[in-house]
Amino acid sequence: MAILPESFKAFQYQTGIDRIRDAYRASAETINKALSAATQEYAQHLESGVDDREYDEDGILLFSTENSLAQAELDAILAVSVVREAFITSAFHYWERSARAWTGLHGFEHKFPDLRKETRRLYPVSPQLPYLNRLNNVLKHNSHRVDRTLLKNRPDYFSSLFPKRNGNNPPELRLRISHEHVEEAFDIVSASGPAY
């Protein structure tokens, strides 16, 4: 079997992450346009003052354009979040699969610390990679859970749903992944393997 030169390994690895990044950007552009359109349509309806609510004989709301448009906007907001989370997971798994190929550590018993350690013997690894691993695990296993280590080291991944009301009740924190976080994930993965 021929041994591939490092330059080809770098080309192969960096091209792979670029493809994932390009796919994310195309998806993000499409989903952000849909969100913008849903938000604009909802705002225009509110400004129009049209009230087309329909109720049954018991006073239960059957239909409302306002409610339908508000739901469409919420669905678009959730879709943006899902796309961001999916591409962060894709980027990390790309690194993980690549690291297994570089290191030969294919067994189930070889976890992230082993892969990172052995990869560092071969290539540079971003100091942010452990946090990306933690973020990936939170996204995969329970996006409502707050990983305390991640919160301490990357508080920018979290925000509260509601503003703080008083000192006795701290706000409940939730993951809030931004476009910049996804772009950063690609940079972290790109910096954690063979480079040109």
Side-chain angles (χ1 to χ4, degrees):
M1 181 167 85
I3 296 174
L4 297 174
E6 286 301 312
S7 60
F8 181 77
K9 289 179 185 177
F11 172 77
Q12 186 179 37
Y13 180 65
Q14 296 298 331
T15 299
I17 195 62
D18 287 345
R19 284 185 186 131
I20 298 169
R21 186 188 326 248
D22 291 345
Y24 165 70
R25 288 177 178 168
S27 298
E29 183 178 349
T30 300
I31 205 76
N32 285 331
K33 283 180 183 175
L35 174 57
S36 180
T39 299
Q40 183 178 6
E41 193 173 356
Y42 179 54
Q44 286 173 342
H45 178 76
L46 290 178
E47 288 174 11
S48 74
V50 172
D51 184 359
D52 62 355
R53 289 180 275 195
E54 295 176 19
Y55 298 90
D56 69 7
E57 60 276 358
D58 296 323
I60 296 173
L61 181 66
L62 297 174
F63 174 79
S64 164
T65 299
E66 179 181 339
N67 286 352
S68 295
L69 293 174
Q71 185 62 49
E73 182 183 35
L74 178 60
D75 289 345
I77 290 168
L78 294 174
V80 167
S81 178
V82 166
V83 166
R84 290 174 181 168
E85 292 175 6
F87 275 96
I88 283 177
T89 297
S90 293
F92 182 78
H93 283 162
Y94 177 75
W95 175 84
E96 191 174 43
R97 285 188 310 274
S98 299
R100 288 189 185 285
W102 303 323
T103 63
L105 300 177
H106 298 287
F108 183 73
E109 70 277 7
H110 300 296
K111 305 288 185 204
F112 173 76
D114 301 322
L115 289 173
R116 180 174 171 247
K117 178 182 174 186
E118 292 304 311
T119 297
R120 288 175 71 178
R121 293 177 196 258
L122 303 169
Y123 305 111
V125 173
S126 169
Q128 292 295 316
L129 190 64
Y131 305 127
L132 184 60
N133 174 55
R134 284 184 169 279
L135 176 60
N136 174 63
N137 285 333
V138 170
L139 292 172
K140 283 188 341 186
H141 301 298
N142 189 349
S143 61
H144 300 295
R145 181 171 60 95
V146 175
D147 179 300
R148 294 292 166 200
T149 301
L150 194 58
L151 177 61
K152 177 183 173 195
N153 292 289
R154 290 303 305 261
D156 57 302
Y157 287 159
F158 300 90
S159 69
S160 63
L161 220 50
F162 304 105
K164 187 174 178 179
R165 288 185 223 164
N166 60 45
N168 297 335
N169 295 327
E172 182 179 343
L173 297 175
R174 307 284 273 194
L175 274 176
R176 291 285 181 256
I177 303 301
S178 68
H179 168 76
E180 290 75 21
H181 290 131
V182 183
E183 291 287 346
E184 179 191 39
F186 297 133
D187 292 341
I188 292 167
V189 169
S190 181
S192 299
Y196 297 121

